[in-house]
Amino acid sequence: QVQLVESGGGLVQAGGSLRLSCAASGLTFSSYVMGWFRQAPGKEREFVGGINRSGSSTYYTDSAKGRFTISEDNAKNTVYLQMNSLEPEDTAVYYCAAKRFGNYGSSFGYGYWGQGTQVTVSS
């Protein structure tokens, strides 16, 4: 079955960086759109961005644009979220997700989810 396992979360000071990883198994990685979401305490889950099947194009929401970078390594079936210039407002549980159909710029249609990894940014 499909499994997505995130890692790399932790505690970081404002202005710092973290790189999250999401290792996928049970799917043909190159056939899936991958996305990153986050959910802060008391808030709804928020789309951060996505990467297309070939890894050649990415999309970011305004909150991530210019600070976050999504990339993937098809040989390792892994997608990454590099986060720079972190702010306390970035504190959330971060999830990766996969979908077989749909556009990488859309938050809809993700059917597979990881368990999430906590990112805490201190001021």
Side-chain angles (χ1 to χ4, degrees):
Q1 71 276 22
V2 175
Q3 279 194 315
L4 303 175
V5 179
E6 301 98 335
S7 61
L11 174 64
V12 63
Q13 287 190 331
S17 298
L18 278 177
R19 189 177 80 155
L20 306 183
S21 300
C22 173
S25 61
L27 54 76
T28 303
F29 191 70
S30 59
S31 296
Y32 282 76
V33 170
M34 302 298 294
W36 285 95
F37 292 75
R38 66 185 184 183
Q39 188 166 21
K43 295 188 176 181
E44 293 188 354
R45 187 171 59 198
E46 174 189 17
F47 184 47
V48 174
I51 188 166
N52 69 348
R53 292 168 185 80
S54 65
S56 61
S57 295
T58 52
Y59 170 84
Y60 303 96
T61 57
D62 287 345
S63 62
K65 205 173 295 182
R67 300 187 301 127
F68 294 3
T69 303
I70 299 173
S71 62
E72 64 181 27
D73 185 335
N74 277 312
K76 295 183 178 180
N77 279 13
T78 299
V79 62
Y80 304 98
L81 179 64
Q82 176 67 45
M83 304 185 293
N84 300 327
S85 302
L86 283 162
E87 304 165 352
E89 293 72 25
D90 296 315
T91 295
V93 177
Y94 283 72
Y95 300 89
C96 74
K99 61 181 178 181
R100 182 68 178 87
F101 303 103
N103 190 283
Y104 63 95
S106 170
S107 63
F108 296 103
Y110 285 92
Y112 301 102
W113 296 84
Q115 83 289 350
T117 186
Q118 176 71 46
V119 171
T120 303
V121 184
S122 63
S123 56

Tab-separated table of all heavy atoms in Angstrom, residues 2-7 20-25 27-29 31-38 45-53 70-72 77-81 93-104 106-117:
chain	number	residue	atom	x	y	z
A	2	VAL	N	0.260	2.360	-0.333
A	2	VAL	CA	1.005	3.606	-0.408
A	2	VAL	C	1.347	4.092	1.001
A	2	VAL	O	0.512	4.110	1.892
A	2	VAL	CB	0.194	4.690	-1.142
A	2	VAL	CG1	0.926	6.019	-1.106
A	2	VAL	CG2	-0.077	4.265	-2.580
A	3	GLN	N	2.613	4.463	1.160
A	3	GLN	CA	3.048	5.046	2.430
A	3	GLN	C	3.859	6.295	2.162
A	3	GLN	O	4.728	6.292	1.271
A	3	GLN	CB	3.893	4.053	3.232
A	3	GLN	CG	3.087	3.035	4.014
A	3	GLN	CD	3.934	2.313	5.043
A	3	GLN	OE1	5.040	1.891	4.761
A	3	GLN	NE2	3.404	2.177	6.251
A	4	LEU	N	3.580	7.327	2.918
A	4	LEU	CA	4.348	8.561	2.870
A	4	LEU	C	4.859	8.833	4.280
A	4	LEU	O	4.065	8.878	5.217
A	4	LEU	CB	3.481	9.726	2.394
A	4	LEU	CG	2.794	9.567	1.040
A	4	LEU	CD1	1.885	10.748	0.759
A	4	LEU	CD2	3.820	9.416	-0.074
A	5	VAL	N	6.154	8.997	4.404
A	5	VAL	CA	6.740	9.181	5.730
A	5	VAL	C	7.571	10.460	5.731
A	5	VAL	O	8.600	10.543	5.042
A	5	VAL	CB	7.612	7.982	6.127
A	5	VAL	CG1	8.223	8.212	7.507
A	5	VAL	CG2	6.800	6.699	6.105
A	6	GLU	N	7.112	11.429	6.524
A	6	GLU	CA	7.832	12.700	6.628
A	6	GLU	C	8.893	12.631	7.725
A	6	GLU	O	8.746	11.902	8.706
A	6	GLU	CB	6.886	13.858	6.956
A	6	GLU	CG	5.785	14.096	5.954
A	6	GLU	CD	4.487	13.460	6.383
A	6	GLU	OE1	4.538	12.468	7.158
A	6	GLU	OE2	3.412	13.935	5.961
A	7	SER	N	9.910	13.431	7.554
A	7	SER	CA	10.948	13.573	8.578
A	7	SER	C	11.589	14.938	8.423
A	7	SER	O	11.377	15.625	7.421
A	7	SER	CB	11.994	12.466	8.458
A	7	SER	OG	12.638	12.519	7.197
A	20	LEU	N	12.508	19.470	5.175
A	20	LEU	CA	11.659	18.313	5.422
A	20	LEU	C	11.798	17.335	4.266
A	20	LEU	O	11.969	17.730	3.116
A	20	LEU	CB	10.203	18.729	5.554
A	20	LEU	CG	9.895	19.828	6.583
A	20	LEU	CD1	8.388	20.067	6.633
A	20	LEU	CD2	10.449	19.488	7.939
A	21	SER	N	11.706	16.057	4.593
A	21	SER	CA	11.749	15.005	3.592
A	21	SER	C	10.467	14.186	3.684
A	21	SER	O	9.879	14.057	4.754
A	21	SER	CB	12.943	14.083	3.817
A	21	SER	OG	14.164	14.788	3.740
A	22	CYS	N	10.084	13.634	2.558
A	22	CYS	CA	8.921	12.742	2.509
A	22	CYS	C	9.285	11.571	1.616
A	22	CYS	O	9.431	11.725	0.405
A	22	CYS	CB	7.712	13.477	1.970
A	22	CYS	SG	6.272	12.421	1.665
A	23	ALA	N	9.456	10.420	2.240
A	23	ALA	CA	9.799	9.204	1.508
A	23	ALA	C	8.522	8.460	1.142
A	23	ALA	O	7.700	8.169	2.016
A	23	ALA	CB	10.707	8.325	2.351
A	24	ALA	N	8.375	8.162	-0.137
A	24	ALA	CA	7.170	7.498	-0.634
A	24	ALA	C	7.474	6.053	-1.006
A	24	ALA	O	8.547	5.748	-1.536
A	24	ALA	CB	6.627	8.238	-1.843
A	25	SER	N	6.521	5.193	-0.742
A	25	SER	CA	6.632	3.794	-1.154
A	25	SER	C	5.254	3.302	-1.553
A	25	SER	O	4.225	3.886	-1.181
A	25	SER	CB	7.206	2.934	-0.025
A	25	SER	OG	6.367	2.981	1.113
A	27	LEU	N	4.031	3.255	-4.566
A	27	LEU	CA	3.491	3.955	-5.731
A	27	LEU	C	4.606	4.190	-6.734
A	27	LEU	O	5.789	4.147	-6.393
A	27	LEU	CB	2.837	5.279	-5.326
A	27	LEU	CG	3.636	6.299	-4.503
A	27	LEU	CD1	4.666	7.051	-5.319
A	27	LEU	CD2	2.684	7.295	-3.848
A	28	THR	N	4.200	4.419	-7.977
A	28	THR	CA	5.162	4.786	-9.015
A	28	THR	C	5.364	6.289	-8.898
A	28	THR	O	4.549	7.086	-9.363
A	28	THR	CB	4.634	4.409	-10.404
A	28	THR	OG1	4.345	3.015	-10.423
A	28	THR	CG2	5.683	4.738	-11.468
A	29	PHE	N	6.438	6.669	-8.244
A	29	PHE	CA	6.651	8.045	-7.809
A	29	PHE	C	6.490	9.044	-8.948
A	29	PHE	O	5.871	10.087	-8.796
A	29	PHE	CB	8.043	8.152	-7.183
A	29	PHE	CG	8.301	9.444	-6.467
A	29	PHE	CD1	7.650	9.736	-5.277
A	29	PHE	CD2	9.201	10.366	-6.976
A	29	PHE	CE1	7.887	10.915	-4.608
A	29	PHE	CE2	9.453	11.551	-6.320
A	29	PHE	CZ	8.793	11.828	-5.121
A	31	SER	N	4.646	9.052	-11.374
A	31	SER	CA	3.282	9.162	-11.891
A	31	SER	C	2.376	9.974	-10.981
A	31	SER	O	1.179	10.110	-11.254
A	31	SER	CB	2.668	7.767	-12.068
A	31	SER	OG	3.372	7.030	-13.043
A	32	TYR	N	2.941	10.498	-9.901
A	32	TYR	CA	2.132	11.188	-8.901
A	32	TYR	C	2.564	12.641	-8.735
A	32	TYR	O	3.756	12.961	-8.746
A	32	TYR	CB	2.229	10.481	-7.542
A	32	TYR	CG	1.381	9.245	-7.460
A	32	TYR	CD1	1.781	8.071	-8.092
A	32	TYR	CD2	0.174	9.242	-6.780
A	32	TYR	CE1	0.995	6.941	-8.048
A	32	TYR	CE2	-0.618	8.113	-6.713
A	32	TYR	CZ	-0.198	6.963	-7.353
A	32	TYR	OH	-0.983	5.841	-7.303
A	33	VAL	N	1.575	13.486	-8.550
A	33	VAL	CA	1.815	14.853	-8.110
A	33	VAL	C	2.008	14.820	-6.600
A	33	VAL	O	1.261	14.149	-5.882
A	33	VAL	CB	0.616	15.758	-8.465
A	33	VAL	CG1	0.747	17.126	-7.806
A	33	VAL	CG2	0.481	15.899	-9.974
A	34	MET	N	3.004	15.524	-6.135
A	34	MET	CA	3.288	15.565	-4.700
A	34	MET	C	3.043	16.979	-4.172
A	34	MET	O	3.326	17.977	-4.852
A	34	MET	CB	4.741	15.170	-4.423
A	34	MET	CG	5.121	13.791	-4.940
A	34	MET	SD	4.179	12.459	-4.174
A	34	MET	CE	4.767	12.562	-2.477
A	35	GLY	N	2.537	17.042	-2.969
A	35	GLY	CA	2.257	18.349	-2.381
A	35	GLY	C	2.642	18.398	-0.915
A	35	GLY	O	2.821	17.361	-0.271
A	36	TRP	N	2.762	19.607	-0.419
A	36	TRP	CA	3.013	19.840	0.993
A	36	TRP	C	1.883	20.705	1.555
A	36	TRP	O	1.461	21.686	0.917
A	36	TRP	CB	4.348	20.548	1.215
A	36	TRP	CG	5.536	19.665	1.050
A	36	TRP	CD1	6.304	19.501	-0.070
A	36	TRP	CD2	6.113	18.799	2.045
A	36	TRP	NE1	7.309	18.600	0.168
A	36	TRP	CE2	7.216	18.163	1.461
A	36	TRP	CE3	5.803	18.515	3.384
A	36	TRP	CZ2	8.011	17.249	2.156
A	36	TRP	CZ3	6.592	17.616	4.073
A	36	TRP	CH2	7.682	16.997	3.463
A	37	PHE	N	1.438	20.336	2.721
A	37	PHE	CA	0.409	21.063	3.446
A	37	PHE	C	0.908	21.303	4.867
A	37	PHE	O	1.857	20.665	5.318
A	37	PHE	CB	-0.888	20.243	3.520
A	37	PHE	CG	-1.585	20.054	2.211
A	37	PHE	CD1	-1.099	19.155	1.265
A	37	PHE	CD2	-2.747	20.762	1.907
A	37	PHE	CE1	-1.745	18.967	0.044
A	37	PHE	CE2	-3.402	20.587	0.696
A	37	PHE	CZ	-2.893	19.687	-0.230
A	38	ARG	N	0.226	22.205	5.562
A	38	ARG	CA	0.549	22.402	6.974
A	38	ARG	C	-0.720	22.749	7.738
A	38	ARG	O	-1.679	23.252	7.166
A	38	ARG	CB	1.594	23.497	7.157
A	38	ARG	CG	1.138	24.906	6.774
A	38	ARG	CD	2.293	25.879	6.883
A	38	ARG	NE	1.885	27.253	6.618
A	38	ARG	CZ	2.720	28.278	6.592
A	38	ARG	NH1	4.021	28.092	6.806
A	38	ARG	NH2	2.258	29.498	6.354
A	45	ARG	N	-6.187	23.107	7.730
A	45	ARG	CA	-5.025	22.686	6.953
A	45	ARG	C	-4.843	23.618	5.759
A	45	ARG	O	-5.809	23.982	5.088
A	45	ARG	CB	-5.207	21.252	6.482
A	45	ARG	CG	-3.993	20.654	5.816
A	45	ARG	CD	-4.206	19.180	5.589
A	45	ARG	NE	-5.369	18.915	4.763
A	45	ARG	CZ	-5.974	17.736	4.688
A	45	ARG	NH1	-5.523	16.727	5.418
A	45	ARG	NH2	-7.010	17.571	3.896
A	46	GLU	N	-3.610	23.975	5.493
A	46	GLU	CA	-3.276	24.954	4.457
A	46	GLU	C	-2.348	24.328	3.424
A	46	GLU	O	-1.371	23.650	3.784
A	46	GLU	CB	-2.588	26.155	5.112
A	46	GLU	CG	-2.056	27.201	4.179
A	46	GLU	CD	-1.194	28.243	4.885
A	46	GLU	OE1	-0.743	27.985	6.013
A	46	GLU	OE2	-0.973	29.306	4.296
A	47	PHE	N	-2.626	24.574	2.166
A	47	PHE	CA	-1.769	24.113	1.069
A	47	PHE	C	-0.525	24.984	1.030
A	47	PHE	O	-0.619	26.219	1.033
A	47	PHE	CB	-2.550	24.202	-0.229
A	47	PHE	CG	-1.853	23.685	-1.453
A	47	PHE	CD1	-1.202	22.457	-1.445
A	47	PHE	CD2	-1.888	24.395	-2.633
A	47	PHE	CE1	-0.592	21.957	-2.579
A	47	PHE	CE2	-1.281	23.915	-3.785
A	47	PHE	CZ	-0.625	22.688	-3.763
A	48	VAL	N	0.621	24.363	0.978
A	48	VAL	CA	1.892	25.088	0.895
A	48	VAL	C	2.376	25.164	-0.551
A	48	VAL	O	2.799	26.205	-1.038
A	48	VAL	CB	2.966	24.428	1.776
A	48	VAL	CG1	4.318	25.095	1.584
A	48	VAL	CG2	2.547	24.465	3.243
A	49	GLY	N	2.306	24.031	-1.247
A	49	GLY	CA	2.732	24.009	-2.625
A	49	GLY	C	2.786	22.606	-3.162
A	49	GLY	O	2.567	21.638	-2.435
A	50	GLY	N	3.071	22.495	-4.463
A	50	GLY	CA	3.110	21.190	-5.098
A	50	GLY	C	4.178	21.130	-6.173
A	50	GLY	O	4.727	22.149	-6.607
A	51	ILE	N	4.477	19.916	-6.599
A	51	ILE	CA	5.462	19.677	-7.649
A	51	ILE	C	4.870	18.688	-8.631
A	51	ILE	O	4.183	17.742	-8.247
A	51	ILE	CB	6.800	19.183	-7.041
A	51	ILE	CG1	7.895	19.114	-8.095
A	51	ILE	CG2	6.626	17.862	-6.314
A	51	ILE	CD1	9.283	18.965	-7.506
A	52	ASN	N	5.133	18.918	-9.924
A	52	ASN	CA	4.513	18.064	-10.935
A	52	ASN	C	5.209	16.714	-11.015
A	52	ASN	O	6.202	16.448	-10.341
A	52	ASN	CB	4.477	18.774	-12.290
A	52	ASN	CG	5.859	18.943	-12.908
A	52	ASN	OD1	6.874	18.737	-12.254
A	52	ASN	ND2	5.885	19.326	-14.181
A	53	ARG	N	4.665	15.858	-11.863
A	53	ARG	CA	5.107	14.466	-11.882
A	53	ARG	C	6.570	14.312	-12.274
A	53	ARG	O	7.267	13.452	-11.765
A	53	ARG	CB	4.207	13.653	-12.828
A	53	ARG	CG	2.782	13.514	-12.312
A	53	ARG	CD	1.848	12.961	-13.376
A	53	ARG	NE	0.471	12.940	-12.892
A	53	ARG	CZ	-0.326	13.989	-12.863
A	53	ARG	NH1	0.101	15.158	-13.296
A	53	ARG	NH2	-1.564	13.874	-12.408
A	70	ILE	N	10.282	23.387	-3.085
A	70	ILE	CA	9.940	21.969	-3.185
A	70	ILE	C	10.791	21.345	-4.273
A	70	ILE	O	10.924	21.898	-5.371
A	70	ILE	CB	8.445	21.782	-3.509
A	70	ILE	CG1	7.582	22.377	-2.395
A	70	ILE	CG2	8.126	20.298	-3.692
A	70	ILE	CD1	6.094	22.384	-2.722
A	71	SER	N	11.354	20.201	-3.968
A	71	SER	CA	12.134	19.460	-4.957
A	71	SER	C	11.911	17.977	-4.731
A	71	SER	O	11.302	17.571	-3.736
A	71	SER	CB	13.623	19.804	-4.847
A	71	SER	OG	14.126	19.435	-3.567
A	72	GLU	N	12.393	17.176	-5.649
A	72	GLU	CA	12.240	15.737	-5.478
A	72	GLU	C	13.417	15.008	-6.071
A	72	GLU	O	14.123	15.531	-6.935
A	72	GLU	CB	10.929	15.241	-6.085
A	72	GLU	CG	10.810	15.399	-7.579
A	72	GLU	CD	9.474	14.896	-8.109
A	72	GLU	OE1	8.469	14.905	-7.371
A	72	GLU	OE2	9.439	14.493	-9.282
A	77	ASN	N	12.647	8.235	-4.503
A	77	ASN	CA	11.207	8.343	-4.223
A	77	ASN	C	10.948	9.302	-3.066
A	77	ASN	O	10.131	9.009	-2.169
A	77	ASN	CB	10.604	6.970	-3.916
A	77	ASN	CG	10.303	6.178	-5.174
A	77	ASN	OD1	10.750	6.528	-6.263
A	77	ASN	ND2	9.566	5.099	-5.017
A	78	THR	N	11.615	10.419	-3.083
A	78	THR	CA	11.544	11.363	-1.965
A	78	THR	C	11.285	12.770	-2.479
A	78	THR	O	11.881	13.196	-3.475
A	78	THR	CB	12.848	11.326	-1.153
A	78	THR	OG1	13.040	10.011	-0.630
A	78	THR	CG2	12.791	12.309	0.005
A	79	VAL	N	10.415	13.462	-1.782
A	79	VAL	CA	10.154	14.868	-2.063
A	79	VAL	C	10.604	15.681	-0.853
A	79	VAL	O	10.505	15.213	0.282
A	79	VAL	CB	8.672	15.112	-2.402
A	79	VAL	CG1	7.759	14.754	-1.248
A	79	VAL	CG2	8.436	16.548	-2.851
A	80	TYR	N	11.103	16.868	-1.118
A	80	TYR	CA	11.675	17.707	-0.066
A	80	TYR	C	10.951	19.046	0.006
A	80	TYR	O	10.416	19.539	-0.984
A	80	TYR	CB	13.160	17.964	-0.337
A	80	TYR	CG	13.976	16.713	-0.486
A	80	TYR	CD1	14.290	16.208	-1.742
A	80	TYR	CD2	14.452	16.034	0.642
A	80	TYR	CE1	15.047	15.063	-1.885
A	80	TYR	CE2	15.205	14.890	0.508
A	80	TYR	CZ	15.504	14.402	-0.757
A	80	TYR	OH	16.248	13.257	-0.880
A	81	LEU	N	10.983	19.622	1.182
A	81	LEU	CA	10.512	20.986	1.379
A	81	LEU	C	11.607	21.740	2.133
A	81	LEU	O	11.811	21.518	3.336
A	81	LEU	CB	9.209	21.027	2.174
A	81	LEU	CG	8.649	22.431	2.447
A	81	LEU	CD1	8.255	23.129	1.144
A	81	LEU	CD2	7.443	22.364	3.386
A	93	VAL	N	2.138	21.523	11.970
A	93	VAL	CA	2.468	20.160	11.535
A	93	VAL	C	2.450	20.175	10.011
A	93	VAL	O	1.487	20.642	9.397
A	93	VAL	CB	1.459	19.130	12.074
A	93	VAL	CG1	1.797	17.739	11.547
A	93	VAL	CG2	1.459	19.136	13.597
A	94	TYR	N	3.519	19.686	9.425
A	94	TYR	CA	3.660	19.681	7.974
A	94	TYR	C	3.417	18.271	7.446
A	94	TYR	O	3.970	17.301	7.966
A	94	TYR	CB	5.047	20.164	7.576
A	94	TYR	CG	5.183	21.669	7.688
A	94	TYR	CD1	5.245	22.291	8.927
A	94	TYR	CD2	5.220	22.471	6.552
A	94	TYR	CE1	5.347	23.668	9.038
A	94	TYR	CE2	5.327	23.859	6.646
A	94	TYR	CZ	5.377	24.437	7.894
A	94	TYR	OH	5.473	25.809	7.988
A	95	TYR	N	2.594	18.213	6.407
A	95	TYR	CA	2.225	16.940	5.799
A	95	TYR	C	2.616	16.913	4.328
A	95	TYR	O	2.452	17.909	3.632
A	95	TYR	CB	0.714	16.733	5.870
A	95	TYR	CG	0.132	16.705	7.252
A	95	TYR	CD1	-0.296	17.869	7.883
A	95	TYR	CD2	-0.011	15.501	7.943
A	95	TYR	CE1	-0.841	17.848	9.157
A	95	TYR	CE2	-0.560	15.466	9.218
A	95	TYR	CZ	-0.960	16.643	9.812
A	95	TYR	OH	-1.508	16.607	11.071
A	96	CYS	N	3.093	15.780	3.873
A	96	CYS	CA	3.190	15.608	2.434
A	96	CYS	C	2.019	14.752	1.975
A	96	CYS	O	1.418	14.008	2.769
A	96	CYS	CB	4.527	14.996	2.014
A	96	CYS	SG	4.729	13.253	2.364
A	97	ALA	N	1.694	14.899	0.702
A	97	ALA	CA	0.541	14.215	0.145
A	97	ALA	C	0.815	13.888	-1.318
A	97	ALA	O	1.664	14.526	-1.952
A	97	ALA	CB	-0.709	15.075	0.275
A	98	ALA	N	0.074	12.917	-1.835
A	98	ALA	CA	0.248	12.482	-3.213
A	98	ALA	C	-1.107	12.318	-3.883
A	98	ALA	O	-2.097	11.942	-3.236
A	98	ALA	CB	1.014	11.150	-3.267
A	99	LYS	N	-1.127	12.634	-5.184
A	99	LYS	CA	-2.348	12.384	-5.950
A	99	LYS	C	-1.975	11.910	-7.338
A	99	LYS	O	-0.973	12.352	-7.920
A	99	LYS	CB	-3.245	13.620	-6.013
A	99	LYS	CG	-2.637	14.845	-6.675
A	99	LYS	CD	-3.633	16.000	-6.638
A	99	LYS	CE	-3.033	17.268	-7.241
A	99	LYS	NZ	-3.992	18.413	-7.186
A	100	ARG	N	-2.793	11.018	-7.856
A	100	ARG	CA	-2.528	10.424	-9.163
A	100	ARG	C	-2.973	11.348	-10.284
A	100	ARG	O	-2.337	11.395	-11.340
A	100	ARG	CB	-3.263	9.085	-9.250
A	100	ARG	CG	-3.046	8.327	-10.555
A	100	ARG	CD	-1.635	7.844	-10.697
A	100	ARG	NE	-1.461	7.078	-11.926
A	100	ARG	CZ	-1.172	7.622	-13.085
A	100	ARG	NH1	-1.020	8.947	-13.209
A	100	ARG	NH2	-1.027	6.856	-14.151
A	101	PHE	N	-4.052	12.088	-10.035
A	101	PHE	CA	-4.609	12.951	-11.078
A	101	PHE	C	-4.708	14.376	-10.561
A	101	PHE	O	-4.780	14.631	-9.374
A	101	PHE	CB	-5.993	12.446	-11.487
A	101	PHE	CG	-6.000	11.028	-11.973
A	101	PHE	CD1	-6.459	10.000	-11.150
A	101	PHE	CD2	-5.529	10.700	-13.225
A	101	PHE	CE1	-6.453	8.695	-11.581
A	101	PHE	CE2	-5.511	9.390	-13.670
A	101	PHE	CZ	-5.968	8.373	-12.848
A	102	GLY	N	-4.753	15.305	-11.518
A	102	GLY	CA	-4.929	16.695	-11.132
A	102	GLY	C	-3.675	17.499	-11.309
A	102	GLY	O	-2.598	16.988	-11.618
A	103	ASN	N	-3.821	18.777	-11.085
A	103	ASN	CA	-2.764	19.750	-11.316
A	103	ASN	C	-1.954	20.002	-10.053
A	103	ASN	O	-2.502	20.040	-8.951
A	103	ASN	CB	-3.393	21.054	-11.806
A	103	ASN	CG	-2.360	22.033	-12.289
A	103	ASN	OD1	-1.689	22.686	-11.502
A	103	ASN	ND2	-2.207	22.119	-13.607
A	104	TYR	N	-0.667	20.204	-10.205
A	104	TYR	CA	0.193	20.421	-9.040
A	104	TYR	C	-0.051	21.781	-8.398
A	104	TYR	O	0.396	22.027	-7.275
A	104	TYR	CB	1.676	20.297	-9.430
A	104	TYR	CG	2.154	21.317	-10.433
A	104	TYR	CD1	2.767	22.489	-10.023
A	104	TYR	CD2	1.988	21.091	-11.799
A	104	TYR	CE1	3.211	23.419	-10.938
A	104	TYR	CE2	2.421	22.026	-12.721
A	104	TYR	CZ	3.033	23.183	-12.291
A	104	TYR	OH	3.464	24.103	-13.209
A	106	SER	N	-3.017	22.864	-7.651
A	106	SER	CA	-4.291	22.786	-6.956
A	106	SER	C	-4.142	21.970	-5.679
A	106	SER	O	-3.443	20.964	-5.636
A	106	SER	CB	-5.339	22.135	-7.851
A	106	SER	OG	-6.511	21.841	-7.117
A	107	SER	N	-4.858	22.409	-4.648
A	107	SER	CA	-4.819	21.692	-3.379
A	107	SER	C	-5.804	20.528	-3.335
A	107	SER	O	-5.830	19.776	-2.352
A	107	SER	CB	-5.135	22.652	-2.236
A	107	SER	OG	-6.448	23.163	-2.370
A	108	PHE	N	-6.600	20.350	-4.398
A	108	PHE	CA	-7.635	19.327	-4.393
A	108	PHE	C	-7.126	17.997	-4.932
A	108	PHE	O	-6.205	17.935	-5.735
A	108	PHE	CB	-8.840	19.796	-5.223
A	108	PHE	CG	-9.509	21.005	-4.655
A	108	PHE	CD1	-9.306	22.252	-5.215
A	108	PHE	CD2	-10.312	20.913	-3.533
A	108	PHE	CE1	-9.898	23.377	-4.692
A	108	PHE	CE2	-10.909	22.025	-2.995
A	108	PHE	CZ	-10.701	23.272	-3.577
A	109	GLY	N	-7.782	16.937	-4.467
A	109	GLY	CA	-7.555	15.634	-5.059
A	109	GLY	C	-6.488	14.778	-4.430
A	109	GLY	O	-6.226	13.666	-4.911
A	110	TYR	N	-5.882	15.253	-3.343
A	110	TYR	CA	-4.831	14.444	-2.717
A	110	TYR	C	-5.468	13.308	-1.917
A	110	TYR	O	-6.239	13.545	-1.005
A	110	TYR	CB	-3.958	15.309	-1.816
A	110	TYR	CG	-3.007	16.188	-2.587
A	110	TYR	CD1	-3.355	17.484	-2.963
A	110	TYR	CD2	-1.757	15.703	-2.968
A	110	TYR	CE1	-2.480	18.273	-3.691
A	110	TYR	CE2	-0.881	16.494	-3.691
A	110	TYR	CZ	-1.258	17.780	-4.047
A	110	TYR	OH	-0.388	18.552	-4.767
A	111	GLY	N	-5.073	12.093	-2.255
A	111	GLY	CA	-5.696	10.943	-1.616
A	111	GLY	C	-4.798	10.202	-0.658
A	111	GLY	O	-5.267	9.363	0.115
A	112	TYR	N	-3.516	10.494	-0.711
A	112	TYR	CA	-2.553	9.809	0.156
A	112	TYR	C	-1.832	10.849	0.993
A	112	TYR	O	-1.383	11.880	0.468
A	112	TYR	CB	-1.555	9.005	-0.668
A	112	TYR	CG	-2.214	7.964	-1.541
A	112	TYR	CD1	-2.381	8.179	-2.901
A	112	TYR	CD2	-2.685	6.769	-0.989
A	112	TYR	CE1	-2.998	7.241	-3.691
A	112	TYR	CE2	-3.297	5.819	-1.781
A	112	TYR	CZ	-3.453	6.055	-3.135
A	112	TYR	OH	-4.062	5.116	-3.924
A	113	TRP	N	-1.712	10.554	2.290
A	113	TRP	CA	-1.146	11.504	3.233
A	113	TRP	C	-0.137	10.833	4.153
A	113	TRP	O	-0.291	9.660	4.519
A	113	TRP	CB	-2.253	12.107	4.094
A	113	TRP	CG	-3.224	12.916	3.301
A	113	TRP	CD1	-4.307	12.449	2.610
A	113	TRP	CD2	-3.195	14.321	3.097
A	113	TRP	NE1	-4.950	13.492	1.978
A	113	TRP	CE2	-4.285	14.654	2.271
A	113	TRP	CE3	-2.345	15.340	3.531
A	113	TRP	CZ2	-4.550	15.963	1.868
A	113	TRP	CZ3	-2.617	16.642	3.139
A	113	TRP	CH2	-3.703	16.939	2.315
A	114	GLY	N	0.879	11.601	4.526
A	114	GLY	CA	1.796	11.149	5.559
A	114	GLY	C	1.247	11.455	6.932
A	114	GLY	O	0.167	12.032	7.081
A	115	GLN	N	2.009	11.086	7.942
A	115	GLN	CA	1.565	11.257	9.314
A	115	GLN	C	1.874	12.650	9.862
A	115	GLN	O	1.355	13.047	10.899
A	115	GLN	CB	2.211	10.199	10.222
A	115	GLN	CG	3.620	10.522	10.706
A	115	GLN	CD	4.673	10.438	9.621
A	115	GLN	OE1	4.417	9.955	8.516
A	115	GLN	NE2	5.882	10.901	9.923
A	116	GLY	N	2.710	13.375	9.164
A	116	GLY	CA	3.042	14.741	9.559
A	116	GLY	C	4.296	14.825	10.400
A	116	GLY	O	4.689	13.859	11.073
A	117	THR	N	4.932	15.973	10.337
A	117	THR	CA	6.105	16.238	11.155
A	117	THR	C	5.971	17.659	11.718
A	117	THR	O	5.583	18.582	11.004
A	117	THR	CB	7.410	16.062	10.352
A	117	THR	OG1	8.541	16.198	11.212
A	117	THR	CG2	7.529	17.051	9.200
